[in-house]
Amino acid sequence: MITKDDTTILNGPGKREDIDERISQLRTQIEETDSTYEKENLGERLGKVSSGVAVIRVGGSSEAEVNEKKDRINDALNATRAAVDQSVVIGGGITLLYSTKVLILYKKQSNYQLLQLFEIV
């Protein structure tokens, strides 16, 4: 479907079995490699191969209302893309909370250098 603003391609030429096979190959390669750089590259490739397509239909009672909703959706999509590009981790706040509990246990040790490190962080 082609409109003045965008193009949508549905039912691309790839077979689902071939795509699933490639996804499993990429996951295997990620598990087997030791290089962090390669893992990041393969992870990006896996994301591109396995990502699906979503259709968001926007409606409203006036053109101004529709445009406002479209702008909000674009803002949300751009925020999501930025989070993915910057490697924002879902649940990162909970991870920080749990890690501080562990760090508090280490802080109770009387290692002077370790205590200085915790004060810096």
Side-chain angles (χ1 to χ4, degrees):
M1 174 171 43
I2 300 173
T3 65
K4 69 174 190 160
D5 295 325
D6 55 2
T7 302
T8 305
I9 300 172
L10 299 174
N11 299 327
K15 294 180 184 175
R16 189 70 212 165
E17 298 86 29
D18 295 339
I19 294 171
D20 290 340
E21 182 179 331
R22 181 64 179 145
I23 288 171
S24 65
Q25 285 176 350
L26 288 171
R27 286 189 176 139
T28 304
Q29 287 177 338
I30 290 172
E31 290 173 4
E32 292 176 354
T33 187
D34 294 329
S35 169
T36 306
Y37 176 75
E38 270 188 53
K39 284 185 181 187
E40 288 177 6
N41 268 347
L42 291 169
E44 287 178 19
R45 194 176 302 163
L46 177 63
K48 289 177 182 176
V49 170
S50 64
S51 65
V53 174
V55 176
I56 302 173
R57 299 184 190 271
V58 178
S61 58
S62 68
E63 187 175 340
E65 186 179 353
V66 171
N67 287 336
E68 181 185 347
K69 287 182 181 181
K70 283 171 65 175
D71 289 341
R72 286 185 186 184
I73 290 170
N74 279 334
D75 288 345
L77 287 172
N78 289 333
T80 304
R81 286 184 187 121
V84 169
D85 289 343
Q86 295 175 6
S87 301
V88 173
V89 177
I90 297 172
I94 296 297
T95 304
L96 179 63
L97 175 68
Y98 290 140
S99 64
T100 54
K101 290 180 181 182
V102 172
L103 293 174
I104 288 170
L105 293 175
Y106 282 112
K107 188 174 180 180
K108 291 181 181 178
Q109 295 178 356
S110 61
N111 186 343
Y112 180 72
Q113 290 178 341
L114 195 60
L115 286 174
Q116 283 183 327
L117 175 67
F118 286 122
E119 295 303 320
I120 291 172
V121 173

